[in-house]
Amino acid sequence: MKAENWILNFSQERHPLLIAGPCSAESPEQLMMVAQAVKSMGIQVMRAGVWKPRTRPDSFEGKGAEALQWIRDVKKETGLAFATEVASPSHVQLACEAGIEILWIGARSTVNPFTVQEIADSLKGIDKIVLVKNPINPDLALWIGALERLNRAGITKLGAIHRGFSSFQKSRYRNQPLWQIPLELKTRYPQIPMIGDPSHIAGNRDMILEVSQKALDLDYDGLMIETHPDPDRALSDAQQQVTPDRLLEIVRHLQIRDRSSSDAVFVNQLVNLREKIDHLDQELIEILSNRMKLAEKIGDYKKENQVTVFQIERWNEIMKTRPEWARLAELNGDFIRELYKIIHDESIRIQTEIMNKESETKS
Ligand code: PEP
Ligand code: MN
């Protein structure tokens, strides 16, 4: 994908890019109040939903085109740049006419390639920044696919927004972050800025700082934080919006760590520690190789004695004892449980191969 780094236009030396503003534009007064507060904090981009995709009918669906006039007025008064969600070609047209600088595709649109393609087609020949929220389901290919459709339509100022993934399971998050998915996207397309959306991940205002910090520690390029003058009375996403005062506190608390340091002591120490890790990893691989060789022997032995590869009692014993040993060694039990599932899968694969090979030679 051919992408340009548009983030520098807004943030220059400042990292990360902050986007703040209400879930939805509700009234001219609400929008202006947030805009003035946001501007006084040195934030340059404001968000405001104009058309709201709601899960259930009869929820507040945004003020629509009427809100675009309020955005125009706020832009004129404050000079702030704006970001809003578009879900159809007519949204694109109206948002562009209103001079909105950043468009984003919402999580419910990213899941639908027809919708994304229509939006992409409507953007042909238009030089806009377009951000793509992750799809509501944990499917990296869909997320990438949407970015590719836009890129093929000529959009090079692309960005991704990580807003978490819905799940039937109860969790402390409104949308589970599944950090490995955005990290995979970042690894494959390092040129596409990644923006965290702690508001939609957390779903409640008490967790915004924690989720924002985590995103910054994973080297995200920006954060989008829903901000409302009176969050409890917000017409959408009331629980997760913060007041401008709270936003200021969050911004002040956030630790912005350097990507790297050229300090010689730091670099030396890092090289030292990494060398130690390299040695340990070599040992770890040797141990795993020895363990798999034993699994092979067991496979031969089971075959000779006509015993099944998988034995539930043995597996239960491993899953009981290893996390206990791990705790004694100050390791996280869940981590060891997950690790043993992978190791056990590989043992079974090796043993199954042995069984099949032998029966092939016999037949
Ligand atoms: C929003 O940003 O207010 C929104 C509707 O987000 P999402 O598409 O992530 O649900
Ligand atoms: Mn919202």
Side-chain angles (χ1 to χ4, degrees):
M1 263 186 276
K2 190 175 160 286
E4 269 173 67
N5 198 341
W6 51 272
I7 270 213
L8 293 176
N9 300 348
F10 294 102
S11 56
Q12 276 107 30
E13 292 307 303
R14 281 172 57 113
H15 166 82
L17 171 71
L18 291 176
I19 303 175
C23 178
S24 313
E26 297 174 2
S27 69
E29 297 75 28
Q30 171 236 29
L31 213 55
M32 190 63 86
M33 227 184 266
V34 183
Q36 268 151 358
V38 155
K39 191 178 161 143
S40 71
M41 288 176 222
I43 294 174
Q44 296 168 29
V45 187
M46 188 155 157
R47 65 154 281 154
V50 170
W51 303 277
K52 302 302 298 175
R54 306 314 302 278
T55 305
R56 306 280 301 272
D58 301 330
S59 308
F60 170 65
E61 294 194 319
K63 293 286 183 180
E66 185 188 2
L68 292 171
Q69 187 53 47
W70 312 335
I71 292 179
R72 277 198 182 93
D73 295 343
V74 171
K75 284 173 68 58
K76 207 154 144 203
E77 176 98 11
T78 62
L80 285 169
F82 265 79
T84 201
E85 172 172 353
V86 290
S88 70
S90 73
H91 293 169
V92 169
Q93 195 193 337
L94 290 167
C96 289
E97 282 167 14
I100 290 176
E101 289 82 354
I102 303 179
L103 308 178
W104 85 74
I105 296 188
R108 292 163 193 76
S109 301
T110 310
V111 291
N112 186 344
F114 290 128
T115 302
V116 175
Q117 192 59 54
E118 272 180 13
I119 297 173
D121 290 341
S122 73
L123 280 161
K124 275 192 184 138
I126 297 179
D127 181 24
K128 278 281 167 202
I129 298 164
V130 185
L131 313 179
V132 180
K133 287 209 180 195
N134 67 257
I136 46 181
N137 54 326
D139 186 340
L140 177 60
L142 261 180
W143 199 359
I144 293 175
L147 288 159
E148 283 171 340
R149 286 177 198 278
L150 290 161
N151 199 225
R152 285 189 192 174
I155 301 292
T156 52
K157 294 177 185 148
L158 286 166
I161 303 178
H162 173 215
R163 54 77 82 191
F165 303 88
S166 35
S167 154
F168 185 60
Q169 273 175 340
K170 269 226 163 309
S171 112
R172 55 193 286 261
Y173 300 102
R174 174 178 176 193
N175 291 297
Q176 290 187 310
L178 307 179
W179 297 98
Q180 69 276 22
I181 297 178
L183 288 185
E184 178 66 27
L185 184 72
K186 257 171 79 64
T187 311
R188 287 204 219 168
Y189 303 100
Q191 73 279 27
I192 297 183
M194 177 64 70
I195 295 180
D197 176 350
S199 309
H200 291 89
I201 291 177
N204 82 71
R205 63 184 74 109
D206 297 337
M207 278 165 65
I208 305 293
L209 175 58
E210 172 197 330
V211 177
S212 301
Q213 185 63 58
K214 169 101 185 189
L216 293 190
D217 289 340
L218 294 173
D219 198 20
Y220 278 33
D221 303 277
L223 294 171
M224 179 153 96
I225 302 181
E226 286 189 338
T227 310
H228 190 287
D230 188 0
D232 285 333
R233 283 205 262 171
L235 299 180
S236 57
D237 290 349
Q239 286 173 10
Q240 71 198 30
Q241 302 206 57
V242 295
T243 60
D245 286 349
R246 177 63 189 150
L247 177 67
L248 185 59
E249 264 174 33
I250 291 172
V251 170
R252 287 199 174 137
H253 271 88
L254 282 174
Q255 304 261 346
I256 299 168
R257 297 176 175 109
D258 288 337
R259 286 192 176 143
S260 64
S261 163
S262 49
D263 178 76
V265 178
F266 168 82
V267 171
N268 265 337
Q269 184 64 353
L270 196 64
V271 168
N272 266 332
L273 292 171
R274 283 184 175 159
E275 261 174 31
K276 285 186 184 153
I277 293 226
D278 288 349
H279 284 301
L280 287 178
D281 280 350
Q282 277 168 7
E283 280 181 37
L284 207 56
I285 287 176
E286 217 165 291
I287 291 175
L288 282 173
S289 158
N290 289 338
R291 195 188 189 284
M292 291 306 164
K293 283 183 190 131
L294 286 175
E296 267 175 50
K297 272 199 183 147
I298 293 181
D300 287 335
Y301 198 55
K302 282 180 183 163
K303 176 67 190 164
E304 274 170 40
N305 291 280
Q306 291 296 321
V307 170
T308 55
V309 166
F310 182 68
Q311 281 157 329
I312 186 82
E313 305 76 34
R314 172 64 176 158
W315 175 233
N316 286 340
E317 184 207 326
I318 290 180
M319 285 310 260
K320 183 168 175 294
T321 52
R322 274 49 170 181
E324 283 170 9
W325 301 347
R327 269 190 290 278
L328 293 176
E330 292 176 19
L331 279 171
N332 177 312
D334 289 339
F335 159 61
I336 291 296
R337 223 171 272 118
E338 289 307 309
L339 185 61
Y340 270 91
K341 280 187 202 157
I342 299 172
I343 292 177
H344 191 247
D345 276 355
E346 179 62 1
S347 286
I348 288 193
R349 189 191 65 77
I350 288 173
Q351 294 189 11
T352 310
E353 215 171 78
I354 290 173
M355 296 270 174
N356 291 341
K357 233 182 236 159
E358 289 190 3
S359 46
E360 267 165 32
T361 44
K362 271 187 190 159
S363 61

